[in-house]
Amino acid sequence: MFPTPPARDGAALMTVERGLEVLRAFRSARTPLTNAELVRRTGLPKATVSRLTSTLVQSGFLRLVPGKREFELAAGALGIGHAYLATNDLLQAAQPLMQELADRLDVSVALGIQDGIDLLYVGYRVSRKVATLRLGVGSVLPMSTTSIGRAYLWGLAPPQRRQLVQEHVRRAGAEGKALARAIDASFAELQATGTCAVLGGFQRGTFGVALPIRVGRAGLPMSMSCGKADIALNLQSEHARIAPALKQAATRLQDLLAGFDGPL
């Protein structure tokens, strides 16, 4: 019989988990955050957040913005992220194909996975031309209002999909019914064509065309999108232009990563 772990091990694990929650609250926009904003984003008690930010500053994962009561990510946190991206076989293998598609269509190309109820960019390549939507790896987008988010939802098993959609609708409050109709419209588009297009789902004057993919031996759910900033676009024509190339690239990517084994 194995000995029962000391109670303090559970407390230590909870502290680590909460520390990671605080770090994950910092998004790719690199906007400094106060303790009050971290409380809002994490849902943790004010005293807990204050204690964690102090510890994370001392350990080199956060730093105080000079002259302010705001925190930003420090070298310790950034080093872990860059090391992960540089050594992840799946993401490294996907980069050339994504860059080829971005240059071919003059768009940005993103790979996304779930991050709580949001969608996290884990892969991102942009056209070498300048007229593109520029976000980046680490960007967190709303899952319910963007093409890449809705494509991810569509690719999930129905019970998971329903649960996530219901949570988004609940959080939308008075706008919940309108959001549910918009999500259903994207699902119908995905059912009929294999892709969905959304205008202004994240930023005004931008659009995205996306589809769900499954990669590796475990069938890891992800989504892939092409996006662009264009205030004078015709969404229907852009969708028609992009969708065939995106589908082709997605098939190539899934074939390329078919032997990938393990979580992302």
Side-chain angles (χ1 to χ4, degrees), residues 178-225:
L179 178 62
R181 288 193 296 269
I183 293 173
D184 285 343
S186 289
F187 286 174
E189 192 172 36
L190 283 155
Q191 177 69 39
T193 70
T195 63
C196 67
V198 174
L199 177 64
F202 179 60
Q203 296 175 353
R204 293 183 62 183
T206 66
F207 74 93
V209 179
L211 47 65
I213 59 174
R214 291 270 179 172
V215 300
R217 295 176 182 173
L220 176 71
M222 303 182 75
S223 50
M224 184 175 183
S225 74

Side-chain angles (χ1 to χ4, degrees), residues 80-100:
I80 291 174
H82 286 302
Y84 169 74
L85 293 172
T87 58
N88 185 277
D89 292 338
L90 185 155
L91 299 178
Q92 289 301 306
Q95 298 297 331
L97 187 151
M98 294 173 64
Q99 187 66 61
E100 177 187 332

Side-chain angles (χ1 to χ4, degrees), residues 35-44:
N35 277 337
E37 178 62 19
L38 288 167
V39 167
R40 189 187 71 79
R41 291 193 179 191
T42 64
L44 295 172

Side-chain angles (χ1 to χ4, degrees), residues 145-165:
T145 61
T146 59
S147 63
I148 192 170
R150 291 176 184 174
Y152 180 87
L153 286 168
W154 177 249
L156 295 174
Q160 295 173 280
R161 183 195 310 155
R162 283 194 297 270
Q163 182 179 9
L164 270 172
V165 170

Side-chain angles (χ1 to χ4, degrees), residues 42-53:
T42 64
L44 295 172
K46 181 178 179 180
T48 299
V49 168
S50 180
R51 183 175 66 252
L52 287 170
T53 52

Side-chain angles (χ1 to χ4, degrees), residues 35 48-60 62 71:
N35 277 337
T48 299
V49 168
S50 180
R51 183 175 66 252
L52 287 170
T53 52
S54 177
T55 300
L56 290 167
V57 166
Q58 293 175 27
S59 58
L62 292 180
F71 301 91

